[in-house]
Amino acid sequence: MKYLDEYRDPVLARKLLAELRAAATRPWAIMETCGGQTHTLVRQGIDELLPSGMRMIHGPGCPVCVTPLATIDKAVALAARPDVIFTSYGDMLRVPGTAGDLLGVKARGGDVRVVYTPLDAVAIARDNPDREVVFFAVGFETTAPANAMAVLHAAVTGVVNFSVLVSHVLVPPAITAILDAPDNQVQAFLAAGHVCAVMGWTEYEPIAQRYGVPIVVTGFEPLDLLEGIVLAVRQLETGRATVENQYARAVRRGGNTAAQDAVRQVFRVTERTWRGIGPIPASGLALTPAFAAYDAEERFPGGETHAVEHPDCIAGQILRGTAAPTDCSAYGTRCTPLSPLGAPMVSAEGTCAAFHHAGRRRSAVEVPR
Amino acid sequence: MCLGIPGRIVEVAEGPAPRMGTVDFDGVRRPVCLAYAPEAGVGDYVIVHVGFAISRVDEAEAAKTLAVLRAIPEALESELGPEAAR
Ligand code: SF4
């Protein structure tokens, strides 16, 4: 497939690994921010081929993983209502809440429907005027334009039985929170290429400068990741800390202005709680007052739960990159993709699930501290 | 949900906003919202996320990246031993 296959070429990958071996003299620690990148790195075993003690720290960039437990509980409660058709991206269905997941609600007869795009959820609302259709609007800057368009489209076409349960998160504040943590070990970042396709990279320039960390906007294919790592290492080795763009075929410095305009129209920046990490100021999106009528939390108030995580789950450390899944006592035994105890085991973008799919064993991976 | 994939626009629909079209992903065709890729037309490659084109693939930049990768000197390759020659 064009623009995929040529970035998976094993001969070029070996050349890049040789470049990396020639460039790296120290055991650098680099974080890839996006779960899609984690998936490629672990699946291809790239993280195990790095030279001289270098390691990849897997970042919090999995929307499924960071959606707070209380929000999952709210989704589960809404989905169980007989008057509601609950619509969601497929990978949210297995995320464990305090009392079960969305899939469980569906098995008990709840009307839970997987949609490929949020516009499909608006179409379901239009076709079912006597029901309330709620869409689970989660994700990073990549899905925000789509979810914004769903709200705009509902507003323009007069679909009133549609609302969104919003739990949008933003990448740059999470990077800053990771850098501010006293136990931070990350020395450079691979920024998520598709987030930057929407937002551009101007937000990352002050971070690179203030913290002295190289940030490389990077794509998702094996060669993209290897080249991103090489660029980051070259900066680290020469003491530079700038934003570089590996993913030039899809990302421009200013990003996608049409998408940004729609997001700004529908959403405002707000504090968000990240599952496993806690509240981060100005790290998420909520609906603007003009679109409050589409807010599922306003339309269906109440249902606050006392959310408790499974005691064995160390997802917080995993999302901050201070522990690996193989450090978790439940990994691969009590916690598997089919019956996950914590969110990182759910979607393929979650670090625990990525490790599990790649067949990593608890004892097989040494995690340097 | 966060994985975006490249596909080729094979049709741009006439009709009310938002701008819609059909994108071919290696033989699989899907309706895609093109509102955020106003400059993209039939034949262009776009990166598609949850049914929305979020970026037009820049063919010249794509070619440049590959040229840089292919130009990595052979000398380094020889360091890798016989496996690299496969
Ligand atoms: S393996 Fe399961 S229980 Fe352990 S940290 Fe990952 S999601 Fe949580």
Side-chain angles (χ1 to χ4, degrees):
Chain A
M1 194 163 157
K2 198 170 180 209
Y3 296 122
L4 285 184
D5 293 341
E6 55 265 60
Y7 298 95
R8 295 176 179 173
D9 181 341
V11 175
L12 291 184
R14 276 189 221 109
K15 281 189 178 188
L16 275 169
L17 275 169
E19 284 258 291
L20 186 59
R21 242 169 260 143
T25 63
R26 294 181 39 198
W28 303 110
I30 302 173
M31 175 176 275
E32 85 282 2
T33 41
C34 168
Q37 296 171 326
T38 304
H39 182 70
T40 304
L41 284 174
V42 174
R43 191 188 152 107
Q44 307 290 330
I46 293 171
D47 56 333
E48 295 181 325
L49 295 173
L50 303 178
S52 57
M54 259 186 69
R55 66 190 173 115
M56 299 305 294
I57 299 180
H58 311 300
C62 160
V64 176
C65 306
V66 300
T67 302
L69 190 51
T71 309
I72 303 289
D73 288 349
K74 178 96 191 182
V76 168
L78 285 180
R81 289 174 62 119
D83 55 336
V84 164
I85 300 174
F86 195 87
T87 56
S88 170
Y89 300 122
D91 37 9
M92 295 307 291
L93 264 55
R94 267 184 205 284
V95 182
T98 308
D101 56 18
L102 288 166
L103 210 59
V105 176
K106 191 176 163 73
R108 290 191 295 276
D111 198 343
V112 178
R113 302 188 194 179
V114 170
V115 290
Y116 158 67
T117 160
L119 290 179
D120 290 346
V122 181
I124 291 172
R126 196 186 47 226
D127 296 344
N128 295 274
D130 52 338
R131 307 277 300 279
E132 280 289 331
V133 173
V134 179
F135 176 69
F136 203 174
V138 297
F140 285 92
E141 290 93 328
T142 39
T143 51
N147 296 346
M149 182 61 79
V151 173
L152 288 170
H153 188 54
V156 167
T157 55
V159 176
V160 292
N161 59 326
F162 175 77
S163 60
V164 283
L165 179 60
V166 183
S167 187
H168 263 295
V169 279
L170 303 170
V171 172
I175 289 187
T176 312
I178 287 165
L179 286 168
D180 282 333
D183 58 348
N184 170 53
Q185 299 164 4
V186 181
Q187 294 165 301
F189 286 90
L190 304 186
H194 291 153
V195 166
C196 296
V198 172
M199 299 305 295
W201 66 76
T202 52
E203 297 171 283
Y204 298 86
E205 288 167 347
I207 300 177
Q209 203 180 15
R210 179 147 40 96
Y211 292 90
V213 284
I215 301 178
V216 181
V217 178
T218 304
F220 298 82
E221 295 307 315
L223 295 190
D224 291 324
L225 286 155
L226 281 166
E227 194 184 19
I229 295 169
V230 169
L231 292 174
V233 164
R234 288 217 185 104
Q235 286 203 42
L236 288 166
E237 293 281 346
T238 53
R240 282 178 301 135
T242 60
V243 180
E244 267 182 289
N245 182 20
Q246 181 279 327
Y247 201 33
R249 66 186 182 277
V251 180
R252 282 109 230 171
R253 183 168 180 267
N256 184 328
T257 45
Q260 290 165 24
D261 288 346
V263 170
R264 227 172 287 130
Q265 203 182 334
V266 173
F267 295 114
R268 65 189 164 83
V269 173
T270 183
E271 175 173 293
R272 277 270 171 231
T273 296
W274 294 52
R275 189 171 189 174
I277 295 181
I280 304 177
S283 70
L285 298 173
L287 289 165
T288 53
F291 290 94
Y294 295 90
D295 190 342
E297 299 208 61
E298 304 250 332
R299 202 174 289 199
F300 308 96
E304 296 308 317
T305 58
H306 181 65
V308 206
E309 293 283 0
H310 193 282
D312 291 349
C313 183
I314 57 164
Q317 290 170 52
I318 289 181
L319 291 169
R320 283 191 307 269
T322 54
T326 41
D327 295 335
C328 172
S329 66
Y331 173 79
T333 52
R334 278 163 295 137
C335 181
T336 64
L338 279 178
S339 72
L341 291 186
M345 191 54 100
V346 175
S347 128
E349 297 152 39
T351 305
C352 298
F355 271 57
H356 197 270
H357 289 309
R360 302 254 171 114
R361 300 264 179 76
R362 269 202 70 197
S363 53
V365 181
E366 289 281 327
V367 184
R369 305 238 153 225
Chain B
M1 101 210 36
C2 237
L3 300 173
I5 48 169
R8 192 171 52 91
I9 300 176
V10 291
E11 188 206 343
V12 177
E14 306 280 327
R19 185 172 184 246
M20 298 294 293
T22 306
V23 173
D24 180 288
F25 302 97
D26 216 19
V28 180
R29 294 185 171 199
R30 289 272 202 171
V32 164
C33 180
L34 301 175
Y36 300 137
E39 77 289 7
V42 170
D44 283 337
Y45 276 80
V46 283
I47 307 273
V48 177
H49 249 275
V50 296
F52 284 72
I54 55 163
S55 179
R56 190 175 66 81
V57 178
D58 185 325
E59 309 230 1
E61 287 290 352
K64 225 197 280 177
T65 304
L66 282 174
V68 168
L69 296 182
R70 293 198 175 114
I72 295 173
E74 300 295 317
L76 279 171
E77 238 179 313
S78 61
E79 261 180 51
L80 293 171
E83 206 202 13
R86 269 205 312 232

